[in-house]
Amino acid sequence: MNSTEWQKEDMKYIWHPCSQMKDYEELPPIVVDHAKGINIYDVDGNCYKDVVSSWWCNLLGHCNPDINKAMKAQLDKLEHVIFANFTHIPAITLCQKLMEVIPKGLCKFNFADNGSAAVEMALKMSFQYHQQTGNKQKVKFMALTDAYHGETIAALSVGACDLYSSIYKPILMDVTRVQGPDCFRCPYGKCRDNCQCECFEKAEEIFAKHGDETCAMIVEPLLQGSAGMKIYPPLYLTKLRKLCDKYNVHLIADEIATGYGRTGKMFAFDHAGVSPDIMCISKGLTGGYMPMSICITTQKIYDAFYADYLSGKAFMHSHTYAGNPLGCSAGIAVLDILKRDKTIEKANKRAPYFNKIIKDKFLGLDNVGEVRHIGLVNAIELVKDRDTKEPFDSKLRLGYQIYKKALKKGVLLRPLGDIIYFNPPIIIEEDDMDFVTDVALECTKEALSEIK
Ligand SMILES: *Cc1c(COP(=O)(O)O)cnc(C)c1O
Protein backbone atom coordinates (compact mmCIF):
# COMPACT_ATOMS: atom_id res chain seq x y z
CA MET A 1 0.00 0.00 0.00
CA ASN A 2 1.18 3.57 -0.61
CA SER A 3 0.96 6.30 1.97
CA THR A 4 -2.42 7.62 0.80
CA GLU A 5 -3.93 4.17 1.20
CA TRP A 6 -2.43 3.81 4.68
CA GLN A 7 -3.84 7.20 5.60
CA LYS A 8 -7.31 6.11 4.53
CA GLU A 9 -7.01 2.99 6.67
CA ASP A 10 -5.76 5.07 9.60
CA MET A 11 -8.71 7.42 9.44
CA LYS A 12 -11.12 4.50 9.24
CA TYR A 13 -10.00 3.35 12.71
CA ILE A 14 -7.87 5.75 14.66
CA TRP A 15 -8.94 8.67 16.84
CA HIS A 16 -5.73 10.64 17.30
CA PRO A 17 -4.79 12.43 20.53
CA CYS A 18 -5.35 16.13 21.01
CA SER A 19 -6.72 16.63 17.50
CA GLN A 20 -9.87 17.84 15.83
CA MET A 21 -10.20 14.82 13.56
CA LYS A 22 -11.93 16.90 10.88
CA ASP A 23 -8.63 18.74 10.37
CA TYR A 24 -7.25 15.42 9.12
CA GLU A 25 -9.40 15.66 5.98
CA GLU A 26 -7.09 18.42 4.86
CA LEU A 27 -3.95 17.25 6.63
CA PRO A 28 -3.94 13.46 6.95
CA PRO A 29 -1.54 11.84 9.43
CA ILE A 30 2.02 11.31 8.27
CA VAL A 31 2.70 7.60 8.07
CA VAL A 32 6.03 7.11 9.78
CA ASP A 33 8.25 4.24 8.78
CA HIS A 34 11.37 4.74 10.86
CA ALA A 35 13.39 7.40 12.67
CA LYS A 36 17.00 8.12 13.51
CA GLY A 37 18.46 10.89 15.67
CA ILE A 38 16.26 13.94 15.17
CA ASN A 39 15.00 12.65 11.79
CA ILE A 40 11.61 11.00 11.31
CA TYR A 41 11.07 9.29 7.92
CA ASP A 42 7.67 8.56 6.41
CA VAL A 43 6.83 5.60 4.16
CA ASP A 44 7.56 7.73 1.07
CA GLY A 45 11.03 8.56 2.34
CA ASN A 46 10.28 12.17 3.34
CA CYS A 47 12.25 13.40 6.34
CA TYR A 48 10.91 15.53 9.20
CA LYS A 49 13.20 17.12 11.78
CA ASP A 50 11.69 16.37 15.17
CA VAL A 51 12.32 19.64 17.01
CA VAL A 52 9.54 18.94 19.51
CA SER A 53 11.13 15.67 20.68
CA SER A 54 7.89 13.86 19.83
CA TRP A 55 5.94 15.57 22.59
CA TRP A 56 9.04 16.53 24.59
CA CYS A 57 10.00 12.99 25.52
CA ASN A 58 12.65 12.00 23.03
CA LEU A 59 15.83 13.09 24.77
CA LEU A 60 18.76 11.50 22.95
CA GLY A 61 17.42 11.04 19.45
CA HIS A 62 15.26 8.32 17.94
CA CYS A 63 16.59 4.79 17.67
CA ASN A 64 19.57 5.46 19.89
CA PRO A 65 21.94 2.48 19.55
CA ASP A 66 22.79 2.27 23.26
CA ILE A 67 19.17 2.38 24.43
CA ASN A 68 18.19 -0.13 21.74
CA LYS A 69 20.90 -2.50 22.88
CA ALA A 70 19.94 -2.25 26.55
CA MET A 71 16.27 -2.86 25.83
CA LYS A 72 16.96 -5.80 23.50
CA ALA A 73 19.08 -7.46 26.17
CA GLN A 74 16.35 -6.93 28.76
CA LEU A 75 13.63 -8.22 26.43
CA ASP A 76 15.10 -11.71 26.30
CA LYS A 77 15.29 -11.88 30.11
CA LEU A 78 12.12 -10.40 31.55
CA GLU A 79 9.41 -8.32 29.89
CA HIS A 80 7.19 -7.62 32.90
CA VAL A 81 6.39 -8.87 36.35
CA ILE A 82 4.00 -7.89 39.14
CA PHE A 83 5.75 -5.23 41.26
CA ALA A 84 4.02 -5.93 44.58
CA ASN A 85 6.21 -8.30 46.60
CA PHE A 86 8.36 -8.86 43.51
CA THR A 87 11.22 -6.75 42.30
CA HIS A 88 13.99 -6.94 39.71
CA ILE A 89 17.51 -5.70 39.17
CA PRO A 90 16.67 -3.10 36.48
CA ALA A 91 14.31 -1.25 38.85
CA ILE A 92 16.77 -1.32 41.73
CA THR A 93 19.64 -0.23 39.50
CA LEU A 94 17.61 2.63 38.06
CA CYS A 95 16.88 3.95 41.56
CA GLN A 96 20.54 3.64 42.59
CA LYS A 97 21.57 5.67 39.56
CA LEU A 98 18.79 8.24 40.00
CA MET A 99 19.94 8.80 43.59
CA GLU A 100 23.14 10.31 42.16
CA VAL A 101 21.29 13.00 40.20
CA ILE A 102 18.04 13.91 41.96
CA PRO A 103 17.60 16.85 44.35
CA LYS A 104 18.81 16.22 47.90
CA GLY A 105 16.32 14.67 50.32
CA LEU A 106 14.38 12.67 47.75
CA CYS A 107 14.97 8.95 48.24
CA LYS A 108 11.82 6.82 47.87
CA PHE A 109 10.60 5.82 44.42
CA ASN A 110 7.03 4.88 43.54
CA PHE A 111 6.61 3.83 39.90
CA ALA A 112 3.73 4.56 37.54
CA ASP A 113 3.37 4.40 33.78
CA ASN A 114 2.71 7.92 32.49
CA GLY A 115 3.05 11.51 33.58
CA SER A 116 -0.57 12.12 34.54
CA ALA A 117 -0.54 8.98 36.68
CA ALA A 118 2.53 10.25 38.54
CA VAL A 119 0.75 13.54 39.22
CA GLU A 120 -2.33 11.68 40.52
CA MET A 121 -0.05 9.65 42.74
CA ALA A 122 1.71 12.74 44.11
CA LEU A 123 -1.61 14.39 45.00
CA LYS A 124 -2.99 11.28 46.69
CA MET A 125 0.27 10.70 48.54
CA SER A 126 0.29 14.23 49.92
CA PHE A 127 -3.38 14.07 50.91
CA GLN A 128 -2.98 10.75 52.69
CA TYR A 129 0.17 11.97 54.45
CA HIS A 130 -1.70 14.87 56.03
CA GLN A 131 -4.68 12.66 56.93
CA GLN A 132 -2.29 10.35 58.76
CA THR A 133 -0.28 13.03 60.52
CA GLY A 134 -3.05 14.87 62.34
CA ASN A 135 -4.02 17.46 59.74
CA LYS A 136 -7.43 16.28 58.60
CA GLN A 137 -8.36 19.83 57.61
CA LYS A 138 -5.82 19.69 54.78
CA VAL A 139 -8.03 18.61 51.90
CA LYS A 140 -7.21 21.00 49.05
CA PHE A 141 -4.49 21.64 46.49
CA MET A 142 -2.92 24.76 45.07
CA ALA A 143 -1.55 25.29 41.59
CA LEU A 144 -0.42 28.14 39.37
CA THR A 145 -2.38 29.92 36.68
CA ASP A 146 -1.54 28.54 33.20
CA ALA A 147 -0.41 25.25 34.74
CA TYR A 148 -0.44 21.96 32.89
CA HIS A 149 -0.13 18.67 34.75
CA GLY A 150 -1.76 16.07 32.51
CA GLU A 151 -5.12 14.84 31.32
CA THR A 152 -6.70 12.64 33.97
CA ILE A 153 -9.32 14.27 36.16
CA ALA A 154 -7.19 15.30 39.15
CA ALA A 155 -4.30 16.26 36.88
CA LEU A 156 -6.69 18.37 34.77
CA SER A 157 -8.03 19.94 37.97
CA VAL A 158 -4.65 21.24 39.09
CA GLY A 159 -3.98 22.29 35.50
CA ALA A 160 -5.36 25.54 34.19
CA CYS A 161 -5.19 25.42 30.41
CA ASP A 162 -8.78 26.06 29.36
CA LEU A 163 -8.27 24.43 25.99
CA TYR A 164 -7.97 21.06 27.72
CA SER A 165 -10.09 21.49 30.82
CA SER A 166 -12.90 24.05 30.47
CA ILE A 167 -15.56 21.59 29.29
CA TYR A 168 -14.88 19.35 32.30
CA LYS A 169 -15.16 22.08 34.96
CA PRO A 170 -18.34 20.58 36.49
CA ILE A 171 -16.52 17.35 37.31
CA LEU A 172 -13.11 18.75 38.33
CA MET A 173 -11.79 19.20 41.89
CA ASP A 174 -11.96 22.64 43.38
CA VAL A 175 -8.33 23.84 43.32
CA THR A 176 -6.95 27.03 44.87
CA ARG A 177 -5.37 29.00 42.07
CA VAL A 178 -2.28 31.12 42.63
CA GLN A 179 -1.73 33.92 40.13
CA GLY A 180 1.68 32.83 38.81
CA PRO A 181 4.55 34.69 37.17
CA ASP A 182 3.93 36.12 33.71
CA CYS A 183 7.29 37.48 32.69
CA PHE A 184 6.40 38.49 29.13
CA ARG A 185 3.42 40.55 30.24
CA CYS A 186 4.67 41.33 33.75
CA PRO A 187 2.01 43.33 35.62
CA TYR A 188 4.79 44.84 37.78
CA GLY A 189 6.68 46.09 34.75
CA LYS A 190 9.76 44.03 35.66
CA CYS A 191 12.02 41.80 33.60
CA ARG A 192 12.69 38.13 34.41
CA ASP A 193 16.47 38.50 34.40
CA ASN A 194 16.69 40.95 37.29
CA CYS A 195 13.39 41.05 39.17
CA GLN A 196 12.82 40.07 42.78
CA CYS A 197 9.70 38.05 41.91
CA GLU A 198 7.47 40.89 43.03
CA CYS A 199 4.57 38.75 41.76
CA PHE A 200 5.24 36.31 44.60
CA GLU A 201 3.08 38.51 46.84
CA LYS A 202 0.10 36.83 45.15
CA ALA A 203 1.24 33.45 46.47
CA GLU A 204 1.76 34.93 49.94
CA GLU A 205 -1.80 36.30 49.96
CA ILE A 206 -3.31 32.99 48.91
CA PHE A 207 -1.25 30.98 51.40
CA ALA A 208 -2.29 33.31 54.22
CA LYS A 209 -5.92 32.61 53.36
CA HIS A 210 -5.80 28.96 52.34
CA GLY A 211 -2.48 27.52 53.55
CA ASP A 212 -4.03 25.78 56.52
CA GLU A 213 -6.51 23.77 54.43
CA THR A 214 -3.95 22.92 51.74
CA CYS A 215 -2.09 19.60 51.32
CA ALA A 216 0.24 20.57 48.53
CA MET A 217 1.17 23.10 45.91
CA ILE A 218 2.14 21.66 42.54
CA VAL A 219 4.30 23.54 40.03
CA GLU A 220 6.03 23.09 36.71
CA PRO A 221 9.39 24.49 37.80
CA LEU A 222 10.76 27.41 35.71
CA LEU A 223 9.05 26.37 32.49
CA GLN A 224 5.30 26.16 31.98
CA GLY A 225 5.36 24.09 28.81
CA SER A 226 1.80 23.79 27.57
CA ALA A 227 1.08 27.40 28.53
CA GLY A 228 3.41 28.34 25.67
CA MET A 229 6.88 27.69 27.08
CA LYS A 230 6.46 30.42 29.67
CA ILE A 231 9.69 30.86 31.62
CA TYR A 232 10.10 32.32 35.13
CA PRO A 233 13.10 32.83 37.43
CA PRO A 234 14.44 30.27 39.96
CA LEU A 235 13.95 32.80 42.78
CA TYR A 236 10.23 32.07 42.59
CA LEU A 237 10.91 28.46 43.58
CA THR A 238 13.26 29.44 46.39
CA LYS A 239 10.56 31.68 47.84
CA LEU A 240 7.88 29.06 47.32
CA ARG A 241 9.94 26.48 49.21
CA LYS A 242 10.04 28.75 52.27
CA LEU A 243 6.36 29.59 52.05
CA CYS A 244 5.33 25.94 51.77
CA ASP A 245 7.41 25.10 54.84
CA LYS A 246 5.78 27.91 56.80
CA TYR A 247 2.31 26.49 56.17
CA ASN A 248 3.18 22.78 56.26
CA VAL A 249 2.23 22.47 52.60
CA HIS A 250 4.03 19.94 50.38
CA LEU A 251 5.81 21.30 47.36
CA ILE A 252 5.26 18.99 44.39
CA ALA A 253 7.63 19.43 41.46
CA ASP A 254 6.14 18.34 38.17
CA GLU A 255 9.47 17.78 36.41
CA ILE A 256 7.85 15.62 33.75
CA ALA A 257 8.76 18.07 31.00
CA THR A 258 11.59 20.00 32.66
CA GLY A 259 13.67 17.09 33.96
CA TYR A 260 16.61 15.44 32.25
CA GLY A 261 18.53 18.50 31.16
CA ARG A 262 15.79 20.34 29.32
CA THR A 263 16.49 23.52 31.28
CA GLY A 264 20.27 23.11 31.21
CA LYS A 265 20.51 21.26 34.52
CA MET A 266 19.42 17.74 35.30
CA PHE A 267 16.27 19.05 36.98
CA ALA A 268 14.78 22.54 36.90
CA PHE A 269 14.74 22.62 40.71
CA ASP A 270 18.55 22.42 40.65
CA HIS A 271 18.60 26.05 39.43
CA ALA A 272 16.92 27.13 42.65
CA GLY A 273 19.08 25.11 45.01
CA VAL A 274 16.08 23.77 46.90
CA SER A 275 14.30 20.41 46.91
CA PRO A 276 10.63 19.58 46.52
CA ASP A 277 8.85 17.12 48.82
CA ILE A 278 7.60 15.09 45.90
CA MET A 279 8.95 15.05 42.37
CA CYS A 280 7.19 13.57 39.33
CA ILE A 281 9.35 12.48 36.41
CA SER A 282 8.43 10.83 33.12
CA LYS A 283 9.05 11.96 29.50
CA GLY A 284 12.89 12.01 29.38
CA LEU A 285 13.10 9.20 31.94
CA THR A 286 13.21 6.49 29.27
CA GLY A 287 14.57 8.77 26.56
CA GLY A 288 11.07 8.74 25.09
CA TYR A 289 11.10 4.97 24.55
CA MET A 290 8.63 3.58 27.05
CA PRO A 291 5.63 4.85 29.00
CA MET A 292 7.02 5.12 32.50
CA SER A 293 6.96 7.63 35.34
CA ILE A 294 8.14 7.84 38.91
CA CYS A 295 6.89 9.78 41.88
CA ILE A 296 9.91 10.33 44.13
CA THR A 297 9.56 11.49 47.70
CA THR A 298 11.28 11.95 51.04
CA GLN A 299 11.93 9.62 53.96
CA LYS A 300 9.62 11.79 56.05
CA ILE A 301 6.60 11.25 53.79
CA TYR A 302 7.43 7.55 53.40
CA ASP A 303 7.62 7.13 57.16
CA ALA A 304 4.08 8.46 57.62
CA PHE A 305 2.80 5.40 55.73
CA TYR A 306 5.09 2.88 57.41
CA ALA A 307 3.25 1.03 60.17
CA ASP A 308 1.65 -2.28 61.07
CA TYR A 309 -0.72 -3.52 58.38
CA LEU A 310 -3.80 -3.16 60.56
CA SER A 311 -3.14 0.57 61.05
CA GLY A 312 -4.51 1.03 57.50
CA LYS A 313 -1.73 3.45 56.61
CA ALA A 314 -0.42 1.73 53.48
CA PHE A 315 -0.51 3.64 50.19
CA MET A 316 -2.96 1.45 48.27
CA HIS A 317 -2.12 2.82 44.85
CA SER A 318 -0.96 0.69 41.94
CA HIS A 319 -0.55 0.62 38.20
CA THR A 320 -0.33 -2.65 36.30
CA TYR A 321 2.85 -1.63 34.51
CA ALA A 322 4.55 -0.08 37.55
CA GLY A 323 8.29 -0.68 37.40
CA ASN A 324 8.17 -2.32 33.98
CA PRO A 325 11.64 -3.84 33.39
CA LEU A 326 11.86 -2.75 29.75
CA GLY A 327 11.19 0.83 30.81
CA CYS A 328 13.76 0.53 33.57
CA SER A 329 16.38 -0.83 31.16
CA ALA A 330 15.79 2.20 28.91
CA GLY A 331 15.96 4.46 31.97
CA ILE A 332 19.31 3.02 33.04
CA ALA A 333 20.71 3.39 29.52
CA VAL A 334 19.65 7.05 29.45
CA LEU A 335 21.43 7.82 32.74
CA ASP A 336 24.53 5.91 31.61
CA ILE A 337 24.66 7.87 28.35
CA LEU A 338 24.19 11.23 30.10
CA LYS A 339 27.08 10.41 32.42
CA ARG A 340 29.41 8.86 29.83
CA ASP A 341 28.86 11.46 27.09
CA LYS A 342 28.31 14.49 29.35
CA THR A 343 25.34 15.14 27.08
CA ILE A 344 23.84 17.95 29.15
CA GLU A 345 27.13 19.85 29.47
CA LYS A 346 27.63 19.56 25.74
CA ALA A 347 24.08 20.68 25.02
CA ASN A 348 24.71 23.71 27.22
CA LYS A 349 27.68 24.61 25.04
CA ARG A 350 25.51 24.57 21.91
CA ALA A 351 22.51 26.31 23.54
CA PRO A 352 23.80 29.92 23.18
CA TYR A 353 24.31 29.38 19.44
CA PHE A 354 20.75 28.11 19.04
CA ASN A 355 19.34 31.05 20.96
CA LYS A 356 21.50 33.53 19.04
CA ILE A 357 20.43 32.41 15.58
CA ILE A 358 16.78 32.36 16.64
CA LYS A 359 17.08 35.91 17.97
CA ASP A 360 18.99 37.05 14.89
CA LYS A 361 16.41 35.57 12.56
CA PHE A 362 13.18 36.38 14.36
CA LEU A 363 13.60 39.60 16.31
CA GLY A 364 13.54 41.55 13.04
CA LEU A 365 9.91 40.57 12.44
CA ASP A 366 7.35 43.16 13.59
CA ASN A 367 5.10 40.49 15.03
CA VAL A 368 7.62 38.85 17.34
CA GLY A 369 6.78 39.90 20.88
CA GLU A 370 9.54 37.96 22.59
CA VAL A 371 12.13 35.25 22.07
CA ARG A 372 12.70 33.41 25.34
CA HIS A 373 14.83 30.42 26.16
CA ILE A 374 16.04 28.07 28.83
CA GLY A 375 18.43 25.26 27.98
CA LEU A 376 17.73 24.28 24.37
CA VAL A 377 14.07 25.24 24.72
CA ASN A 378 13.39 28.38 22.70
CA ALA A 379 10.02 30.02 22.20
CA ILE A 380 8.98 32.80 19.84
CA GLU A 381 5.76 34.53 20.86
CA LEU A 382 3.94 36.06 17.91
CA VAL A 383 1.71 39.03 18.63
CA LYS A 384 -0.52 41.30 16.58
CA ASP A 385 1.04 44.39 18.09
CA ARG A 386 4.54 44.36 19.49
CA ASP A 387 4.04 47.48 21.61
CA THR A 388 0.82 46.49 23.33
CA LYS A 389 1.61 42.72 23.16
CA GLU A 390 -1.92 42.18 21.92
CA PRO A 391 -2.23 38.64 20.60
CA PHE A 392 -3.63 37.67 17.22
CA ASP A 393 -7.24 36.54 16.98
CA SER A 394 -7.01 32.83 17.84
CA LYS A 395 -9.54 32.08 15.09
CA LEU A 396 -6.83 32.86 12.54
CA ARG A 397 -4.99 29.76 13.80
CA LEU A 398 -1.69 31.39 12.87
CA GLY A 399 0.40 28.77 14.67
CA TYR A 400 -1.42 25.98 12.88
CA GLN A 401 -0.78 27.61 9.48
CA ILE A 402 2.92 27.72 10.34
CA TYR A 403 2.82 24.09 11.47
CA LYS A 404 1.36 22.93 8.14
CA LYS A 405 3.86 24.92 6.11
CA ALA A 406 6.81 23.64 8.13
CA LEU A 407 5.75 20.02 7.68
CA LYS A 408 5.88 20.50 3.91
CA LYS A 409 9.43 21.74 4.29
CA GLY A 410 10.50 18.88 6.53
CA VAL A 411 10.28 20.30 10.05
CA LEU A 412 7.94 19.11 12.81
CA LEU A 413 7.20 22.29 14.79
CA ARG A 414 3.74 22.04 16.41
CA PRO A 415 3.33 25.57 17.86
CA LEU A 416 1.29 26.16 21.02
CA GLY A 417 -1.27 28.65 19.83
CA ASP A 418 0.80 31.44 18.25
CA ILE A 419 3.93 30.50 20.13
CA ILE A 420 6.45 28.75 17.95
CA TYR A 421 8.89 26.74 19.99
CA PHE A 422 11.83 24.41 19.70
CA ASN A 423 12.33 21.67 22.29
CA PRO A 424 14.58 19.30 20.35
CA PRO A 425 16.39 16.17 21.46
CA ILE A 426 19.36 17.59 23.37
CA ILE A 427 21.82 15.99 20.95
CA ILE A 428 20.81 18.43 18.17
CA GLU A 429 23.82 19.80 16.24
CA GLU A 430 24.46 23.22 14.75
CA ASP A 431 23.68 22.32 11.12
CA ASP A 432 20.23 21.09 12.11
CA MET A 433 19.73 24.22 14.23
CA ASP A 434 20.48 26.30 11.12
CA PHE A 435 18.08 24.30 8.97
CA VAL A 436 15.10 24.19 11.34
CA THR A 437 15.30 27.87 12.21
CA ASP A 438 15.53 28.83 8.52
CA VAL A 439 12.42 26.79 7.77
CA ALA A 440 10.58 28.17 10.79
CA LEU A 441 11.41 31.73 9.74
CA GLU A 442 10.30 31.23 6.13
CA CYS A 443 7.03 29.64 7.22
CA THR A 444 6.35 32.34 9.79
CA LYS A 445 6.92 35.10 7.23
CA GLU A 446 4.65 33.39 4.72
CA ALA A 447 1.88 32.81 7.25
CA LEU A 448 2.10 36.39 8.53
CA SER A 449 1.90 37.82 5.02
CA GLU A 450 -1.17 35.69 4.30
CA ILE A 451 -3.18 36.98 7.26
CA LYS A 452 -2.36 40.65 6.64
C1 LIG B 1 3.36 15.73 29.56
C2 LIG B 1 3.16 16.31 30.87
C3 LIG B 1 2.33 15.69 31.82
C4 LIG B 1 1.50 14.47 31.52
O1 LIG B 1 2.24 13.35 31.13
P1 LIG B 1 1.49 12.22 30.26
O2 LIG B 1 2.50 11.13 30.17
O3 LIG B 1 1.19 12.83 28.93
O4 LIG B 1 0.27 11.83 31.00
C5 LIG B 1 2.24 16.27 33.07
N1 LIG B 1 2.93 17.39 33.38
C6 LIG B 1 3.73 18.00 32.50
C7 LIG B 1 4.48 19.23 32.91
C8 LIG B 1 3.86 17.50 31.20
O5 LIG B 1 4.62 18.14 30.31
Side-chain angles (χ1 to χ4, degrees), residues 55-56 114-117 119 148-151 220 226 254 256-257 282-283:
W55 261 340
W56 319 344
N114 66 74
S116 307
V119 167
Y148 179 84
H149 297 292
E151 304 289 348
E220 293 161 272
S226 299
D254 178 350
I256 292 164
S282 184
K283 296 199 163 101

Side-chain angles (χ1 to χ4, degrees), residues 282-316:
S282 184
K283 296 199 163 101
L285 170 60
T286 64
Y289 269 62
M290 293 287 288
M292 190 164 88
S293 61
I294 316 180
C295 187
I296 314 174
T297 192
T298 59
Q299 186 71 41
K300 186 177 174 195
I301 291 181
Y302 177 82
D303 283 345
F305 293 76
Y306 196 88
D308 289 332
Y309 180 79
L310 290 179
S311 71
K313 287 188 173 175
F315 189 44
M316 298 306 286

Side-chain angles (χ1 to χ4, degrees), residues 130-370:
H130 289 296
Q131 291 299 301
Q132 292 176 179
T133 54
N135 283 299
K136 293 226 188 279
Q137 82 287 0
K138 288 194 179 280
V139 293
K140 289 191 68 180
F141 297 101
M142 283 186 195
L144 293 176
T145 44
D146 285 338
Y148 179 84
H149 297 292
E151 304 289 348
T152 53
I153 295 297
L156 268 185
S157 303
V158 283
C161 294
D162 276 353
L163 178 62
Y164 311 116
S165 62
S166 62
I167 181 92
Y168 305 108
K169 286 235 163 89
I171 56 168
L172 298 184
M173 298 191 300
D174 177 27
V175 165
T176 310
R177 194 63 58 192
V178 175
Q179 178 67 47
D182 186 353
C183 302
F184 175 48
R185 295 182 173 87
C186 179
Y188 299 82
K190 304 282 174 180
C191 152
R192 75 166 74 73
D193 298 327
N194 56 17
C195 75
Q196 291 305 309
C197 289
E198 282 74 5
C199 59
F200 193 74
E201 67 181 21
K202 298 286 179 196
E204 284 164 345
E205 282 165 23
I206 298 282
F207 269 74
K209 255 198 209 152
H210 300 284
D212 192 47
E213 69 195 34
T214 301
C215 304
M217 164 100 192
I218 183 166
V219 292
E220 293 161 272
L222 304 192
L223 175 66
Q224 293 187 297
S226 299
M229 299 295 164
K230 287 177 68 179
I231 298 166
Y232 63 88
L235 180 63
Y236 196 91
L237 296 177
T238 319
K239 290 187 174 193
L240 190 57
R241 176 68 276 178
K242 275 196 201 125
L243 193 61
C244 284
D245 286 342
K246 182 172 164 196
Y247 289 93
N248 188 23
V249 167
H250 288 143
L251 180 51
I252 302 174
D254 178 350
E255 291 258 11
I256 292 164
T258 50
Y260 281 78
R262 291 294 185 185
T263 67
K265 294 194 187 266
M266 187 65 187
F267 294 101
F269 256 78
D270 298 339
H271 292 273
V274 293
S275 294
D277 300 292
I278 304 175
M279 181 167 87
C280 303
I281 59 174
S282 184
K283 296 199 163 101
L285 170 60
T286 64
Y289 269 62
M290 293 287 288
M292 190 164 88
S293 61
I294 316 180
C295 187
I296 314 174
T297 192
T298 59
Q299 186 71 41
K300 186 177 174 195
I301 291 181
Y302 177 82
D303 283 345
F305 293 76
Y306 196 88
D308 289 332
Y309 180 79
L310 290 179
S311 71
K313 287 188 173 175
F315 189 44
M316 298 306 286
H317 182 109
S318 62
H319 292 285
T320 308
Y321 288 100
N324 176 265
L326 291 169
C328 291
S329 68
I332 295 165
V334 167
L335 290 177
D336 287 347
I337 294 166
L338 291 180
K339 194 168 175 179
R340 180 195 69 197
D341 296 349
K342 301 192 166 60
T343 321
I344 297 174
E345 278 172 47
K346 286 184 190 157
N348 286 343
K349 291 203 179 115
R350 291 190 304 269
Y353 177 76
F354 198 28
N355 181 243
K356 181 182 184 301
I357 59 173
I358 292 170
K359 280 191 167 146
D360 288 350
K361 290 176 192 181
F362 282 87
L363 282 180
L365 301 186
D366 288 342
N367 296 104
V368 170
E370 181 183 56

Side-chain angles (χ1 to χ4, degrees), residues 57-106:
C57 64
N58 188 290
L59 190 72
L60 302 169
H62 292 273
C63 227
N64 179 290
D66 295 310
I67 305 176
N68 287 12
K69 195 170 149 216
M71 286 189 66
K72 283 177 187 167
Q74 182 55 41
L75 185 58
D76 284 330
K77 275 184 129 179
L78 176 67
E79 82 301 337
H80 186 64
V81 67
I82 180 172
F83 209 47
N85 273 111
F86 284 76
T87 191
H88 47 79
I89 295 166
I92 302 166
T93 309
L94 177 59
C95 294
Q96 287 174 328
K97 289 180 188 268
L98 275 169
M99 276 306 287
E100 294 173 21
V101 295
I102 54 177
K104 212 171 78 212
L106 298 172

